[in-house]
Amino acid sequence: MSAIDITLKTAANEHPIDHLLRADRLPHILCPGCGIGTVIHGYAHAIAASGIPEDNHVCVSGIGCSGRAAGYVNVDSYHSTHGRALPFALGIAVHRPELKVTVISGDGDLSAIGGNHLIHAARRNVDLTVICINNFNYGMTGGQVGPTTPIGARGTTAPEGAVEAPFNLPYLAKATGAVFVARWTILHVREFQDAVLRAMQKKGFCFIEVLAPCPTSFGKSNKIGDGLHEVEIYRERCRIENGAANIEDFDIDLVDETKPIVVGNFVDIERKIFQAHKR
Amino acid sequence: MNESREKIARQPMDLHMAQVPRGEVHVIAERCKECGLCINYCPTDVLVYTEDINARGYRYPTVAEGKETSCVHCRFCDLICPELAIFTLEVSDHG
C-alpha cells in the first residue's frame, strides 16, 4: 500500500489538516496522553487521501470519550445515542449508497451496549467503515471494567483484577462476516491510516480496532503512569502479522508481559453487500 | 527508555549517496498538552520541552539547541500528535 501524502500549505498557527477538522474547537476536551486525538487525526488524513469529496463523507459516533470524534471532524457528522451508532450509520449507508459512512466509536459503545448491532451489521455486510477505539475500559464514566478489559487488569469495579474473558474484537468481526478486519495501535500511525484508506475504498463492512491509551482511567488503575508509558508498552510488545489466519489466538493480555500484542491487517475478502432493492 | 533503543538496525550500502530530506518544525503551542509522544518518538531527537509554558500550563516541544537542521521531515511527530499541535514542512536546501 502506498504511503499517505497530502498537499501541505503553510500558515503560522494552522495545521495542514485543519480544513478537515473544526479547528475553532481545538484544543479538544480529551485528556493529555489520550489516543483518541491521534485516531481523529488519522481519519482526517485518510479522508484527504481517499479522493472521495469531503461532502460525501459522513462520520457517526456513539457515546463515550470517542463519541466526541463526530464533533471535531469537519464533515457531516452525527453523535448518536449509546450503542446506536451502527443502526444510524446503517440507515444512511443503505439509503444513500453514494456516501462513505464511517463509524468512530469506543469498545464500550460498539461491543457492549451496541454489541448486537455490531454482529448484525457485520452479518448483513453493510457498506460501513467502523473504527473501534479500544482503551480496555469505560473511560468517560470513571474506569469501570468493560467487555474488552483483559483478565487480571484492574478497574474501579474490579479492584482485584477482571475475571471475565474479554472479547477478541477482530476475531468477533471476522467470525460474524466483516470483509476487512485490522487491529493497530496509535503508535502505528501510517499503518492505521492505510487501513482506514483501504476500508474507505472497499465495499462492505470493514472493522478496524485501534488500541489507544487511557491514562486517566485505565492507566490509573493499572499503574500505567501516562499515555507515553502505555504507548511504550505497545512498542515493546506489538508484533505485526498481516494476513494471519489464526486471529482467534490473538487475545490481548496486558498482564503477562511475555505475550505479544498481535496487530496487522488480518482479513481482506469480498462478499455480497447489503443494499436497498430498487423498485 | 531512549538509551536502549537502537537507532539504525543496519547500515545501507548506498548511505553516502542518499539525499536526506530536511524539515522545519512548526509547533502550535496553545494546543499542546505535554503528552511527550513527539519528543520521545522523534527518530533524530530534534525536540525537547521548552522552559516556557502555554496558557494551560503545559510545556510544549521546541527544537533542541544545535538540532536546527537535524529534522528529516519523517512527519511522525505530526501524525502521532493527538492535539494536532505540531507539523513539519519540507525545506529544499540540502546543506
Side-chain angles (χ1 to χ4, degrees), chain A residues 145-161:
Chain A
V145 162
T148 50
T149 311
I151 294 176
R154 292 164 202 270
T156 49
T157 50
E160 308 265 307

Side-chain angles (χ1 to χ4, degrees), chain B:
Chain B
M1 53 188 92
N2 259 333
E3 289 74 17
S4 62
R5 200 187 307 164
E6 279 190 41
K7 291 290 176 191
I8 302 174
R10 64 182 177 83
Q11 195 86 297
M13 287 174 73
D14 57 352
L15 187 65
H16 61 286
M17 289 156 65
Q19 286 269 335
V20 181
R22 233 191 79 196
E24 191 179 63
V25 181
H26 294 257
V27 178
I28 307 171
E30 291 313 311
R31 289 186 186 173
C32 181
K33 288 183 190 157
E34 202 184 328
C35 68
L37 291 175
C38 56
I39 292 173
N40 199 59
Y41 290 109
C42 176
T44 48
D45 287 334
V46 167
L47 301 166
V48 289
Y49 288 117
T50 47
E51 305 285 315
D52 233 17
I53 53 169
N54 64 14
R56 296 170 157 227
Y58 296 116
R59 292 178 300 155
Y60 50 92
T62 189
V63 178
E65 253 179 66
K67 293 270 189 177
E68 288 80 5
T69 55
S70 301
C71 175
V72 293
H73 187 55
C74 71
R75 296 184 56 219
F76 197 77
C77 58
D78 173 5
L79 298 176
I80 202 165
C81 179
E83 315 293 331
L84 297 104
I86 189 168
F87 59 97
T88 61
L89 297 174
E90 189 162 8
V91 285
S92 52
D93 63 295
H94 293 280

Side-chain angles (χ1 to χ4, degrees), chain A residues 58 87 207:
Chain A
V58 180
F207 183 87

Side-chain angles (χ1 to χ4, degrees), chain A residues 15 18 28 30 41 190 232, chain B residues 31 33 41 74 78 80 82:
Chain A
H15 193 279
D18 267 3
H28 51 57
L30 305 163
H41 191 170
R190 288 195 164 88
E232 193 61 19
Chain B
R31 289 186 186 173
K33 288 183 190 157
Y41 290 109
C74 71
D78 173 5
I80 202 165

Side-chain angles (χ1 to χ4, degrees), chain A residues 1-203:
Chain A
M1 272 183 265
S2 64
I4 290 175
D5 206 8
I6 55 158
T7 320
L8 296 168
K9 55 175 183 178
T10 326
N13 261 354
E14 200 180 337
H15 193 279
I17 204 79
D18 267 3
H19 63 288
L20 288 172
L21 295 149
R22 298 179 199 193
D24 53 323
R25 297 193 182 188
L26 295 174
H28 51 57
I29 199 172
L30 305 163
C31 309
C34 173
I36 296 169
T38 308
V39 175
I40 298 171
H41 191 170
Y43 172 60
H45 272 279
I47 291 177
S50 67
I52 302 165
E54 289 159 36
D55 288 350
N56 283 10
H57 279 280
V58 180
C59 178
V60 181
S61 70
I63 295 295
C65 296
S66 47
R68 294 275 179 177
Y72 290 117
V73 289
N74 193 18
V75 296
D76 288 343
S77 57
Y78 188 79
H79 190 177
S80 76
T81 49
H82 199 3
R84 317 301 172 217
L86 279 170
F88 190 86
L90 188 152
I92 304 170
V94 171
H95 187 64
R96 297 281 302 276
E98 75 277 14
L99 298 180
K100 199 70 231 172
V101 188
T102 306
V103 175
I104 302 182
S105 202
D107 53 319
D109 186 78
L110 282 172
S111 70
I113 187 167
N116 209 356
H117 300 304
L118 177 70
I119 60 175
H120 289 288
R123 171 180 67 84
R124 291 175 176 131
N125 199 21
V126 192
D127 184 20
L128 288 177
T129 301
V130 179
I131 301 172
C132 176
I133 303 169
N134 184 358
N135 57 9
F136 309 110
N137 75 137
Y138 292 108
M140 182 177 263
T141 50
Q144 290 85 357
V145 162
T148 50
T149 311
I151 294 176
R154 292 164 202 270
T156 49
T157 50
E160 308 265 307
V163 291
E164 303 162 12
F167 267 138
N168 175 346
L169 290 176
Y171 181 41
L172 177 72
K174 180 191 179 187
T176 48
V179 293
F180 179 80
V181 179
R183 174 197 277 159
W184 293 105
T185 76
I186 66 147
L187 184 65
H188 301 87
V189 279
R190 288 195 164 88
E191 292 90 340
F192 165 67
Q193 287 177 18
D194 283 339
V196 177
L197 187 61
R198 173 77 186 125
M200 281 178 178
Q201 289 162 346
K202 203 171 162 68
K203 285 272 177 199

